[in-house]
Amino acid sequence: AYALLKKQFGGSVQKDNDNPMNISVFLNAKNIDSEFGPAETMIAMLEASNMIEENKNKTPEELFINNTKSFFTMLGELYTNSPKGKENFWWKFYVPLFYNLAKSEYMDVFCYYISISSNDKAKKWLETNNEKLKKFAEWLQSNKQTNG
């Protein structure tokens, strides 16, 4: 999950080294009209926002948590505001679950948990926040029963 999100958050944005205020966003024109087109556009904008002055002192972990929360929130709002035609498994199961996660107090736990295999800071964070991890597992179990 971590690798997939990181892959989605990267690659469509480029910063001009000669002019740091110049940020280019690349969108795949054939995907804009797809059911996930607005989500792909949002991902590019989230990645671009990582490069602005306001975010320069945030850690990669903080940026990942913020981007993931924004992405899950946007997917949930897309589904909530336009459920017509969104009947596949992604829209019926994953999007409501991720939307509920974004609205919960466990977004940071989720992000650290899925990044544990690629991030030593995540492992340390989870070790010192074991109680939060347990509560997240309980929340997830109750949410799975509600959504699934």
Side-chain angles (χ1 to χ4, degrees):
Y2 178 70
L4 180 60
L5 280 169
K6 288 296 284 182
K7 181 180 176 186
Q8 290 298 316
F9 288 152
S12 60
V13 177
Q14 192 172 38
K15 191 171 188 176
D16 185 340
N17 291 333
D18 296 330
N19 184 0
M21 296 302 292
N22 215 3
I23 299 171
S24 300
V25 176
F26 302 96
L27 300 173
N28 187 338
K30 69 180 181 179
N31 292 341
I32 289 176
D33 291 330
S34 75
E35 67 179 316
F36 287 103
E40 290 181 28
T41 303
M42 175 70 167
I43 289 171
M45 300 311 287
L46 288 170
E47 185 63 23
S49 75
N50 289 348
M51 299 176 184
I52 63 174
E53 187 72 22
E54 175 183 318
N55 288 327
K56 75 175 186 174
N57 293 323
K58 290 185 180 174
T59 67
E61 294 80 17
E62 290 171 318
L63 292 171
F64 180 69
I65 292 166
N66 290 344
N67 285 352
T68 304
K69 182 176 184 167
S70 294
F71 178 57
F72 287 176
T73 298
M74 193 272 311
L75 280 175
E77 290 172 359
L78 275 174
Y79 179 75
T80 302
N81 294 324
S82 178
K84 190 174 185 177
K86 294 183 169 94
E87 298 297 323
N88 66 39
F89 189 71
W90 276 101
W91 287 107
K92 294 296 277 180
F93 178 76
Y94 285 114
V95 169
L97 177 64
F98 292 149
Y99 187 44
N100 287 337
L101 177 60
K103 294 186 294 183
S104 79
E105 61 188 275
Y106 301 109
M107 196 73 228
D108 57 344
V109 182
F110 171 78
C111 288
Y112 281 114
Y113 182 76
I114 67 170
S115 63
I116 196 168
S117 66
S118 303
N119 185 331
D120 290 334
K121 289 180 183 178
K123 183 178 180 181
K124 290 177 186 172
W125 189 94
L126 288 166
E127 287 170 357
T128 59
N129 291 279
N130 199 306
E131 190 59 33
K132 273 186 150 183
L133 182 59
K134 287 179 186 176
K135 289 185 185 240
F136 169 62
E138 292 168 6
W139 177 89
L140 186 59
Q141 188 62 36
S142 70
N143 234 286
K144 283 168 119 177
Q145 291 171 356
T146 304
N147 286 333

